Amino acid sequence: MAVLETSSPTDLGLDPERLGYLDEHLRRYVDSGRLAGTLVLVARGGEVGHLAAYGLADRERNVPMREDTLFRIYSMTKPLTSVALMQLYERGLVQLDDPVAKYIPEWADLRVYVMGMGPTLVTKPASRPMTVRDLLTHQSGLTYGFLERTNVDAMYRERKIGMAEVNGTLRGMVEQLAELPLEFSPGEHWNYSVSTDVCGYLVEVISGERFDRYLERHILAPLGMRDTAFWVPPEKRERFAACYGLGAKGIRLIDDPAESAYLREPTFFSGGGGLVSTAGDYFRFCQALLNDGELDGVRIIGRKTLELMTQNHLPEGKDLASHALGRWAETTFAGIGFGLGFSVTLDPAKAQISGTPGEYSWGGAASTTFWIDPLEDLVVIFMTQLMPSNAYNIRRELRAIVYSALTE
């Protein structure tokens, strides 16, 4: 990865003293043992005004956090997958109102859970077909097994839906899903789910190219995202961060970078959460989006398509608080809508966050996050390595500090 150049924050309309609050705040997290390490990037006008690494990428081996550390970005994979599918939309190969069964025939007669389990399972027909937009907006009726809320979640856990060692490939996952009921009829609610993994499968079916190869050819290579992939090759392993979980006595190692499954090239390419990346690489992706889909003369998505993606697609302009079935996501719900792969800020006052209507964002399971604010010409990326992502309120805290630093 090329070294990220930084510019004077003052020249970018950023207050250096207030950006110092950012470093102080993150140091408190690390010095108290709540996080192993952090990396934060703040950019305006396409230039990085603040970049700070602190703490350890690998606590057990005393490896310091670096600007080019490789992180598991988990659900920050979702925006890239969504852009990939919308590239095919721009070629006229898929429409948002296409029934998903057009591409997955086994899903032609999806049914919805009513009650029971096993042989006593009662289902009913879905009120309408699932569409491509339902997948992009998490209104599909699918779910995640880790949510542990319903009997449908339990069925996902029993079959280990989305787990590479069981499903093997994206095709294996959709075959498994064909045998399970939906939590609700498509469009009735918003629910965080494996929908974006299915979007990755649609990219394969529609393009005729394996999903990881499509992503590399149409997004990663054109943008120069050389450190972003579904696995970590041998020559990059020394830069791969450890991953920690929240335990009773502080953080504990849950994925050793010397033994991680990410060290082996997979067969299951999770469009919902499979990528590893660096802050520098992800900045190139974010900056392309902020530039209406183009960076350094390379266009990955059209301006009008991106406008469509970053509008609120929830019915009647609702926010997540009034439309979501569950309460798990990589965002808060009040005052927040959802587009085609991103959360979208509708009302900062209702959301009780600093921000701007129209900004869009998402995060990952290991507490990473990013947001893009077109009005302020702002990109913020935060990388760390702690699961679950709701362990602390750090994302909202970072927003308060960053927005306080804007001077113009």
Side-chain angles (χ1 to χ4, degrees):
M1 183 195 83
V3 175
L4 281 168
E5 296 184 1
T6 57
S7 300
S8 163
T10 304
D11 291 345
L12 302 179
L14 296 165
D15 185 330
E17 182 178 354
R18 287 179 174 267
L19 288 175
Y21 299 162
L22 198 60
D23 295 338
E24 292 173 9
H25 193 65
L26 294 176
R27 287 191 186 104
R28 283 194 289 270
Y29 269 100
V30 174
D31 293 346
S32 65
R34 289 177 290 169
L35 293 173
T38 62
L39 178 59
V40 63
L41 179 153
V42 182
R44 290 190 88 187
E47 298 182 47
V48 178
H50 187 76
L51 179 65
Y54 189 68
L56 300 173
D58 182 343
R59 187 180 61 172
E60 285 63 36
R61 296 175 180 85
N62 202 36
V63 177
M65 187 68 73
R66 299 175 6 179
E67 293 177 9
D68 63 350
T69 294
L70 284 160
F71 297 89
R72 301 155 190 77
I73 63 170
Y74 290 115
S75 287
M76 281 169 58
T77 304
K78 287 179 169 72
L80 284 94
T81 302
S82 302
V83 168
L85 185 54
M86 292 303 288
Q87 288 178 331
L88 300 175
Y89 164 85
E90 289 189 319
R91 292 169 56 189
L93 300 177
V94 61
Q95 291 295 304
L96 294 179
D97 59 357
D98 280 349
V100 175
K102 178 179 178 179
Y103 309 102
I104 308 175
E106 304 96 311
W107 289 23
D109 298 306
L110 293 173
R111 298 184 67 84
V112 176
Y113 177 83
V114 176
M115 65 177 68
M117 284 286 281
T120 64
L121 182 65
V122 178
T123 63
K124 64 180 181 180
S127 61
R128 67 161 174 80
M130 183 194 300
T131 67
V132 172
R133 185 170 80 155
D134 292 328
L135 290 174
L136 284 163
T137 59
H138 292 280
Q139 297 180 92
S140 62
L142 300 171
T143 190
Y144 268 127
F146 70 79
L147 296 178
E148 298 189 4
R149 297 179 297 102
T150 69
N151 284 344
V152 179
D153 297 340
M155 295 177 206
Y156 277 51
R157 290 194 298 278
E158 181 180 354
R159 298 205 182 197
K160 299 184 178 179
I161 295 295
M163 297 181 66
E165 62 267 28
V166 176
N167 302 126
T169 62
L170 289 172
R171 176 63 191 168
M173 181 192 68
V174 301
E175 289 174 349
Q176 289 268 351
L177 287 171
E179 300 174 1
L180 297 178
L182 302 175
E183 284 210 327
F184 51 84
S185 287
E188 289 184 355
H189 300 285
W190 186 94
N191 186 57
Y192 203 34
S193 72
V194 297
S195 288
T196 316
D197 286 305
V198 181
C199 288
Y201 178 71
L202 294 190
V203 171
E204 287 194 343
V205 171
I206 296 165
S207 71
E209 191 169 6
R210 204 173 75 179
F211 178 55
D212 64 316
R213 293 171 182 164
Y214 179 94
L215 208 62
E216 172 65 25
R217 197 157 70 91
H218 293 275
I219 298 178
L220 304 181
L223 290 181
M225 297 172 66
R226 299 181 182 87
D227 282 332
T228 304
F230 287 98
W231 69 297
V232 180
E235 65 273 16
K236 298 181 180 181
R237 290 177 183 175
E238 66 174 14
R239 293 194 281 129
F240 188 36
C243 192
Y244 299 93
L246 193 62
K249 298 181 179 180
I251 62 173
R252 59 184 179 83
L253 182 67
I254 59 173
D255 190 28
D256 188 330
E259 301 176 359
S260 174
Y262 281 96
L263 303 181
R264 301 182 294 277
E265 187 170 6
T267 58
F268 183 87
F269 301 101
S270 172
L275 288 175
V276 296
S277 189
T278 61
D281 267 18
Y282 212 85
F283 174 55
R284 293 191 64 78
F285 174 66
C286 290
Q287 193 59 44
L289 300 184
L290 187 58
N291 291 346
D292 294 330
E294 180 270 337
L295 184 67
D296 295 341
V298 173
R299 178 165 295 281
I300 60 166
I301 199 77
R303 176 176 64 86
K304 297 301 292 184
T305 307
L306 189 59
E307 286 179 9
L308 177 64
M309 295 182 71
T310 55
Q311 293 179 42
N312 182 26
H313 283 253
L314 302 185
E316 302 171 0
K318 292 179 179 177
D319 64 2
L320 289 170
S322 58
H323 190 57
L325 182 65
R327 283 295 179 264
W328 174 266
E330 298 296 342
T331 180
T332 52
F333 281 27
I336 305 294
F338 203 84
L340 305 180
F342 310 88
S343 64
V344 181
T345 299
L346 304 178
D347 185 341
K350 189 175 181 181
Q352 300 186 67
I353 57 172
S354 298
T356 307
E359 68 177 35
Y360 51 101
S361 64
W362 205 240
S367 303
T368 61
T369 194
F370 79 96
W371 76 88
I372 298 171
D373 187 331
L375 184 64
E376 296 291 351
D377 205 4
L378 175 72
V379 170
V380 179
I381 298 168
F382 175 66
M383 297 293 202
T384 190
Q385 68 240 74
L386 179 71
M387 300 178 76
S389 59
N390 63 355
Y392 309 123
N393 207 19
I394 191 167
R395 292 172 176 174
R396 292 167 70 88
E397 295 162 355
L398 295 183
R399 280 178 167 272
I401 298 171
V402 170
Y403 277 110
S404 81
L406 302 185
T407 60
E408 58 183 50

